[in-house]
Amino acid sequence: MGQFAVPAPPWLPGQVKDAINGTAATAEAQAATALDSIGIPPGRSDRVAGATAAGAGIGGAIGGAITAAPAAAVGAVVGGLVGGTLGGIAGAAVGTVVAVPVLGTVTSGVAGTAIGAAAGAVAGAVIAGAPAALVGAVVGGTVGAGFGAGVGVDQR
C-alpha cells in the first residue's frame, strides 16, 4: 500500500497473498481516481491514496488486535466456566469412570468438566473476540485512514 511493504510470511498461500495485494491496489487506485476527479494533481493524489490505504490497513490491524485480545480473554473465562459447569453436569449424569493417559482414571463428571471448559473457552473467545476485533478494526482503520490522508496531503 503506497510505499508501505512487508514481506509475506512463508505460511501464507500465494493465492491469498495475491488477493490481499490485489484488493489493496484496487482500493488505492480507486481513491487516487476519486482524488484526480476533484482536481488534485495525479502524482499527489497517488501519494495521498497510498498513505490513506496504508494508514487504514495499519490502523485496522492495530485496532482489531487491541480490542480482540481483552474481549477474547473475557469470553474465554466466561465460556470456560459455563462450559465446564454444563460438561460436568452432563458427565456426572453418565456416571462412569474414564481412563485418562498419564492421570489414570477419573469420573465422567471430571472428564465432562474438563472437556466442557475447554470447548466453552474456545467458543467464548470466538464469540466475544470476533465482534470486538471487527469493531476495533473499523475504528482503527478509520483513524488510520484519516491520519494517512493527512500525512499524504502534506507530501509534495
Side-chain angles (χ1 to χ4, degrees), residues 56-120:
I58 294 167
I62 292 170
I66 287 173
T67 56
V74 169
V77 169
V78 172
L81 292 172
V82 171
T85 301
L86 295 176
I89 291 169
V94 173
T96 188
V97 178
V98 178
V100 178
V102 179
L103 296 178
T105 58
V106 297
T107 66
S108 56
V110 171
T113 300
I115 293 169

Side-chain angles (χ1 to χ4, degrees), residues 28-38 45-46 49:
E28 186 177 335
Q30 288 174 343
T33 300
L35 293 171
D36 289 344
S37 73
I38 59 170
S45 67
D46 291 344

Side-chain angles (χ1 to χ4, degrees), residues 12-44:
L12 186 67
Q15 290 177 325
V16 173
K17 178 180 66 173
D18 293 343
I20 292 169
N21 190 45
T23 301
T26 299
E28 186 177 335
Q30 288 174 343
T33 300
L35 293 171
D36 289 344
S37 73
I38 59 170
I40 296 177
R44 190 167 189 190

